[in-house]
């Protein structure tokens, strides 16, 4: 459940605006606010089964968007690569005796850190 929650949350961050209003609302209640299917059904005035179907359909849509567009995977790869680059820069900075080079490497490190924000 936790892995699924993290996955859906990431997909929602990237593709949530492509869902219908009802799908967005239901996913927000279900994953964001931790409501039960019954609580959502009561609040929305629909059946528990309708809520369940909406959650599953929205999840399927999010996964479909990712399989077509790959934005989340690209984001994860970029994070991983910037992390590796940062680690290499840290190692070079700590192993150099050249102050000018260390300053330039530190400036590059700050640029990379800015990409994560």
């Amino acid at each position: 459940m936790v892995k699924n929650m993290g996955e859906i949350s990431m997909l929602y961050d990237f593709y949530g605006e492509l869902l219908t209003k009802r799908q967005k609302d239901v996913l927000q209640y279900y994953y964001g606010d931790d409501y039960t299917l019954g609580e959502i059904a009561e609040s929305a005035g629909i059946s528990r089964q309708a809520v369940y179907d909406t959650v599953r359909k929205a999840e399927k849509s999010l996964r479909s968007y990712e399989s077509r567009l790959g934005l989340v995977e690209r984001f994860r790869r970029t994070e991983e690569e910037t992390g590796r680059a940062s680690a290499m820069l840290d190692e070079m900075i700590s192993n150099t005796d050249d102050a000018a080079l260390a300053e330039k490497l530190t400036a590059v490190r700050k640029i990379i850190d800015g990409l994560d924000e």
Side-chain angles (χ1 to χ4, degrees), residues 34-70:
D34 201 27
Y35 283 25
T36 65
L37 297 177
E39 290 170 329
I40 298 168
E42 185 177 320
S43 160
I46 57 176
S47 71
R48 187 182 178 286
Q49 184 63 47
V51 173
Y52 177 82
D53 292 343
T54 301
V55 168
R56 296 301 163 239
K57 185 175 179 182
E59 289 173 348
K60 183 178 178 182
S61 292
L62 292 173
R63 288 186 178 102
S64 174
Y65 297 140
E66 176 59 16
S67 73
R68 291 184 204 154
L69 301 171

Side-chain angles (χ1 to χ4, degrees), residues 15-114:
Y15 306 113
E17 290 304 311
L18 300 174
L19 299 174
T20 67
K21 179 170 177 13
R22 173 172 267 176
Q23 288 173 331
K24 287 192 298 190
D25 291 345
V26 167
L27 284 186
Q28 178 58 44
Y29 287 135
Y30 190 68
Y31 286 108
D33 300 333
D34 201 27
Y35 283 25
T36 65
L37 297 177
E39 290 170 329
I40 298 168
E42 185 177 320
S43 160
I46 57 176
S47 71
R48 187 182 178 286
Q49 184 63 47
V51 173
Y52 177 82
D53 292 343
T54 301
V55 168
R56 296 301 163 239
K57 185 175 179 182
E59 289 173 348
K60 183 178 178 182
S61 292
L62 292 173
R63 288 186 178 102
S64 174
Y65 297 140
E66 176 59 16
S67 73
R68 291 184 204 154
L69 301 171
L71 298 177
V72 173
E73 181 56 33
R74 188 176 311 151
F75 174 78
R76 286 182 176 146
R77 268 195 327 266
T78 300
E79 274 194 323
E80 184 179 304
E81 293 300 315
T82 56
R84 286 182 49 215
S86 291
M88 286 185 229
L89 284 169
D90 287 343
E91 183 180 342
M92 288 189 285
I93 291 166
S94 65
N95 290 332
T96 187
D97 293 330
D98 184 339
L101 177 60
E103 186 177 320
K104 289 177 184 176
L105 292 171
T106 300
V108 172
R109 176 76 160 87
K110 287 179 183 177
I111 292 168
I112 289 175
D113 287 346

